[in-house]
Amino acid sequence: NAGVTQTPKFQVLKTGQSMTLQCAQDMNHNSMYWYRQDPGMGLRLIYYSASEGTTDKGEVPNGYNVSRLNKREFSLRLESAAPSQTSVYFCAEGAGREAFFGQGTRLTVV
Amino acid sequence: QKEVEQNSGPLSVPEGAIASLNCTYSDRGSQSFFWYRQYSGKSPELIMSIYSNGDKEDGRFTAQLNKASQYVSLLIRDSQPSDSATYLCAVNIWGKKGSTLGRLYFGRGTQLTVWP
């Protein structure tokens, strides 16, 4: 029972490249979230999904897209990476109140 | 202004002291409040949740909620060096009327150091 699994753990991209961060949960919960964490900024919500088939913007959605493929999986896509997207990305899941986090993906855009 | 604000740190206390962490939020309709602990290089870990006004105690941790003042706090009694971490306040923000599910927003965090 892994909870939330994120892949990859580390990634280096060149400016303009695209990539998809994968997230899967095995808790059978409806809500899933993508956050980014930058020094001194706390966790900022990028997108969230209240249930399969629904997604909504958070605080900082620009430059990102998401897909809630099914109840288990919620992916985050960067279509054209920029250095400002260098960050640690966390996926989380929950039953609608609190959230439980994956181990994070450290992304560097050069 | 962020939806969730935390008192700026860092906070440094001696071992055995009480550490007090504070948080305010903007949405009066919020119903769910959480404290997370995050060790350096690790993911946030839920340590306390509180939904009603008043105090909630769990071991050395006490969460306090005052909805009228839109204020949440976390007290750590008998602080230990192992409590040294960043503490994140999180609030389920409902926003517009008619929303059926809140978004979980976090403050910037307060870094706590407990020295022996």
Side-chain angles (χ1 to χ4, degrees):
Chain A
N1 185 351
V4 180
T5 302
Q6 290 183 237
T7 54
K9 289 187 174 56
F10 301 93
Q11 183 71 47
V12 179
L13 287 179
K14 293 183 179 178
T15 297
Q17 285 186 316
S18 62
M19 81 159 294
T20 299
L21 280 63
Q22 306 286 353
C23 175
Q25 55 116 344
D26 60 9
M27 303 301 291
N28 201 35
H29 286 149
N30 283 322
S31 298
M32 296 188 75
Y33 309 83
W34 276 106
Y35 291 89
R36 61 176 288 173
Q37 187 171 39
D38 304 293
M41 299 298 292
L43 286 160
R44 291 185 291 172
L45 182 63
I46 306 172
Y47 271 94
Y48 79 110
S49 172
S51 61
E52 181 181 350
T54 68
T55 62
D56 207 347
K57 295 177 181 179
E59 301 170 271
V60 288
N62 291 345
Y64 305 96
N65 286 303
V66 289
S67 295
R68 184 74 182 267
L69 304 169
N70 46 55
K71 195 171 186 178
R72 285 190 69 243
E73 297 171 293
F74 188 38
S75 61
L76 178 72
R77 182 159 178 84
L78 287 72
E79 290 291 351
S80 179
S84 60
Q85 294 178 305
T86 293
S87 188
V88 179
Y89 291 85
F90 287 102
C91 177
E93 58 84 19
R97 286 184 168 182
E98 66 276 88
F100 300 96
F101 286 82
Q103 75 275 34
T105 295
R106 187 172 294 275
L107 175 67
T108 302
V109 183
V110 299
Chain B
Q1 183 183 357
K2 276 180 69 80
E3 303 274 5
V4 181
E5 299 277 0
Q6 291 186 243
N7 55 327
S8 58
L11 178 64
S12 182
V13 301
E15 185 174 356
I18 295 175
S20 177
L21 303 158
N22 303 313
C23 173
T24 58
Y25 59 94
S26 61
D27 184 2
R28 286 196 169 274
S30 298
Q31 298 294 322
S32 308
F33 309 88
F34 309 96
W35 285 98
Y36 286 77
R37 177 177 62 200
Q38 187 176 26
Y39 293 113
S40 181
K42 301 296 185 183
S43 56
E45 170 195 13
L46 179 67
I47 56 171
M48 289 289 286
S49 58
I50 186 166
Y51 307 111
S52 305
N53 278 330
D55 294 359
K56 179 181 178 182
E57 189 174 314
D58 184 359
R60 295 186 295 111
F61 298 96
T62 299
Q64 299 174 316
L65 174 61
N66 183 328
K67 289 184 180 180
S69 300
Q70 295 174 245
Y71 177 89
V72 189
S73 66
L74 179 70
L75 299 177
I76 305 175
R77 291 184 303 281
D78 188 23
S79 296
Q80 301 297 310
S82 58
D83 295 326
S84 298
T86 297
Y87 289 80
L88 298 158
C89 173
V91 178
N92 215 295
I93 302 287
W94 291 84
K96 295 177 185 174
K97 272 189 178 179
S99 297
T100 57
L101 199 68
R103 309 174 188 191
L104 193 60
Y105 283 113
F106 285 78
R108 294 176 193 241
T110 300
Q111 187 176 341
L112 171 67
T113 300
V114 181
W115 44 275

